[in-house]
Amino acid sequence: MNKKAIKAWIMYDWANSAYATTVLAAVLPVFYASVAAATLDTDTAASYLAYTHSIGMLCVALLTPLLGTLADLSGRKGDFLRVFAIIGVLATLGFSAIGEGDWFLASALLVISTIGFAGGNTFYDAMLPDLVPVERRDMISSKGYAYGYIGGGLLLAVNLLMIQQPGWFGMSSTLAGTRLAFISVSLWWLLFSIPIFRHAPRRPASPELPGTWTGYAAVGVRRLRQTFRQMRRFPQLIRMLVAFWFFNDGINTIILMATIYGTSIGIGTADLMLALLLTQFIGFPCTLLLGAWAQRWGAKQVLIVSLSVYICIVILGYFMTQAIHFYVLAGLVGVVQGVSQSTARSLFSNLMPAGRTGEYFGFVNITGKFSSIFGPFVFGYVGQITGSTRWGILSLIFFFIAGIAVLLTVKVQRGMQDVTRADQEEERNGSVGAPGKSSNVRFT
């Protein structure tokens, strides 16, 4: 293994998690409502922000499968990651220039920054099999998430001080402190991305590599069509994908709706922000520890345990009444959130055909984004018809139970032999194997 490249890969999670924590989770929602959309009523501002998130995710879903295919063909995932990261950095920097009533510009920047953040992560995830052998993948994937927690948490703590105590940083107001927070996120993201920019692995270009952008697009579309047809040859990957659709939707809904749910039952803003910090700092050691367990006992087993904890979280959330309860639940989320995501990533990388991880992670990305509309919808619909968000949070138990049920049927492959030389020759000839064709792999 290239230790410099692996350290650089881990450090990128440290870099871009600042965007996830400060911009997406903590600061931007408040800034959007109170500044960018100050000329709109509260409900309209909230709706516009939700629509903006949907548009950004839709753009990512439509772009990344094609771009992932091109990254695989060129062998230059690092170059694609660099482009998307810089797009995200510049858009994040642009938030610092938003004035009162500039909701359209803020929405446009959020869409662009979402494309940079989520699009870049497609290539980042797809690098894992290029860097790390199967037996070390669970641990290295967990380290990435763990360092992301601590990096994002550290800068979030500083950013909250910038906003609440702007005078400590030479700022005249809370708004000035908020603008400084956006600048700090963009600089943090760029600075700690430099190692992966320098040490990203490169693979030899595919013989299919065209010489023009139109050729790229034609080959990319052809490869995507093959991906849809070829999925039949990887039944374990299909099962993992279905399980992921369920439990990932549940996890994302908890992340998106936790603050709203806490507010609806009377938890104060200060407690919500402190609980978010608690999640970050608990997530760091727990992701490392449980990642080590995954390496020893198996990623699938640890993932099932973490999803079982999520079932407990939504049940306890239904009965939550005080701020201390929210802190407890935030702590439990910190224990399992990182390892559930990191083990899912490593399981996917073990089940995907070698040499096409960018394309397949793009496929996971697009289907995951589309499936993620159901969790928030179910939460909102159940809460509306029952008149209580408590029933909305409890309804998420379905997603975790269904995810575990499907995950139990997945047989985890040992070894990256999914695509044999004969399979690769079939791909070059434009054909695919018969449904149910198996490769020379062992399952546990």
Side-chain angles (χ1 to χ4, degrees):
M1 295 191 299
N2 184 330
K3 292 184 178 179
K4 284 187 177 180
I6 291 174
K7 289 180 180 178
W9 185 86
I10 292 172
M11 187 56 64
Y12 184 73
D13 215 321
W14 171 289
N16 76 348
S17 290
Y19 174 83
T21 54
T22 293
V23 177
L24 292 183
V27 177
L28 183 62
V30 177
F31 177 80
Y32 188 95
S34 62
V35 178
T39 55
L40 305 175
D41 64 79
T42 303
D43 291 337
T44 302
S47 297
Y48 281 11
L49 182 59
Y51 297 151
T52 300
H53 280 301
S54 298
I55 293 170
M57 287 296 100
L58 178 62
C59 291
V60 171
L62 295 176
L63 282 173
T64 50
L66 178 60
L67 292 174
T69 300
L70 302 184
D72 281 335
L73 290 175
S74 65
R76 297 167 65 180
K77 297 184 182 79
D79 292 344
F80 282 88
L81 172 61
R82 182 185 302 113
V83 170
F84 276 83
I86 291 175
I87 289 172
V89 166
L90 293 177
T92 301
L93 184 62
F95 286 125
S96 64
I98 296 295
E100 186 172 313
D102 291 338
W103 63 267
F104 185 83
L105 177 58
S107 291
L109 289 174
L110 180 55
V111 169
I112 295 170
S113 63
T114 298
I115 292 172
F117 174 73
N121 279 345
T122 298
F123 305 108
Y124 171 71
D125 290 341
M127 285 183 193
L128 182 62
D130 297 341
L131 288 169
V132 185
V134 174
E135 64 273 11
R136 295 291 307 279
R137 223 166 269 168
D138 296 330
M139 189 64 225
I140 298 301
S141 181
S142 296
K143 281 187 176 180
Y145 274 102
Y147 276 75
Y149 274 121
I150 198 70
L154 283 173
L155 188 60
L156 176 59
V158 174
N159 291 152
L160 292 178
L161 286 176
M162 288 178 179
I163 296 168
Q164 296 175 359
Q165 301 292 338
W168 294 3
F169 299 87
M171 298 289 105
S172 59
S173 64
T174 295
L175 179 58
T178 302
R179 297 187 192 281
L180 181 60
F182 289 132
I183 294 172
S184 70
V185 171
S186 62
L187 293 177
W188 181 283
W189 190 351
L190 179 62
L191 176 64
F192 291 108
S193 296
I194 292 174
I196 196 66
F197 292 168
R198 296 181 57 190
H199 299 293
R202 284 198 176 190
R203 296 171 49 252
S206 167
E208 297 180 79
L209 189 67
T212 64
W213 280 108
T214 55
Y216 266 107
V219 172
V221 170
R222 185 173 72 246
R223 287 283 296 267
L224 282 176
R225 287 200 302 264
Q226 290 178 355
T227 299
F228 284 105
R229 295 197 300 267
Q230 192 187 53
M231 287 287 288
R232 298 176 301 175
R233 300 164 61 185
F234 305 103
Q236 305 308 318
L237 177 58
I238 292 175
R239 292 177 184 179
M240 178 64 197
L241 186 60
V242 173
F244 178 77
W245 289 340
F246 282 112
F247 70 74
N248 184 64
D249 200 2
I251 292 172
N252 283 338
T253 304
I254 287 177
I255 294 172
L256 291 173
M257 306 307 295
T259 301
I260 294 175
Y261 177 63
T263 301
S264 70
I265 62 174
I267 308 298
T269 302
D271 287 316
L272 295 175
M273 293 296 101
L274 288 174
L276 179 60
L277 276 176
L278 178 68
T279 300
Q280 304 301 311
F281 290 110
I282 289 180
F284 172 69
C286 289
T287 302
L288 289 177
L289 175 62
L290 295 178
W293 287 2
Q295 184 170 308
R296 181 173 181 178
W297 303 110
K300 175 182 167 181
Q301 287 75 10
V302 172
L303 178 56
I304 289 172
V305 171
S306 69
L307 297 179
S308 300
V309 173
Y310 270 112
I311 292 176
C312 297
I313 289 171
V314 296
I315 293 174
L316 293 174
Y318 172 82
F319 294 102
M320 180 173 63
T321 57
Q322 302 175 26
I324 186 62
H325 300 157
F326 195 85
Y327 281 105
V328 171
L329 294 182
L332 287 175
V333 170
V335 170
V336 296
Q337 182 172 298
V339 75
S340 63
Q341 294 171 319
S342 66
T343 50
R345 177 168 62 188
S346 63
L347 281 171
F348 270 124
S349 68
N350 292 342
L351 295 168
M352 290 175 180
R356 299 184 70 172
T357 54
E359 176 182 337
Y360 274 76
F361 268 113
F363 183 80
V364 171
N365 193 295
I366 185 172
T367 57
K369 293 297 182 295
F370 281 123
S371 70
S372 293
I373 68 173
F374 296 106
F377 175 80
V378 169
F379 177 96
Y381 181 72
V382 172
Q384 185 178 21
I385 63 174
T386 61
S388 172
T389 54
R390 293 186 184 278
W391 288 105
I393 199 73
L394 188 62
S395 68
L396 300 180
I397 196 172
F398 162 76
F399 294 93
F400 295 109
I401 292 176
I404 291 173
V406 179
L407 187 60
L408 287 170
T409 70
V410 176
K411 297 179 180 179
V412 183
Q413 299 180 9
R414 296 292 187 187
M416 288 295 293
Q417 302 298 321
D418 304 67
V419 178
T420 65
R421 292 179 181 177
D423 295 334
Q424 294 170 350
E425 183 64 30
E426 287 179 0
E427 290 175 14
R428 284 193 289 270
N429 294 333
S431 62
V432 295
K437 176 182 177 182
S438 61
S439 51
N440 299 321
V441 295
R442 298 177 63 184
F443 297 90
T444 59

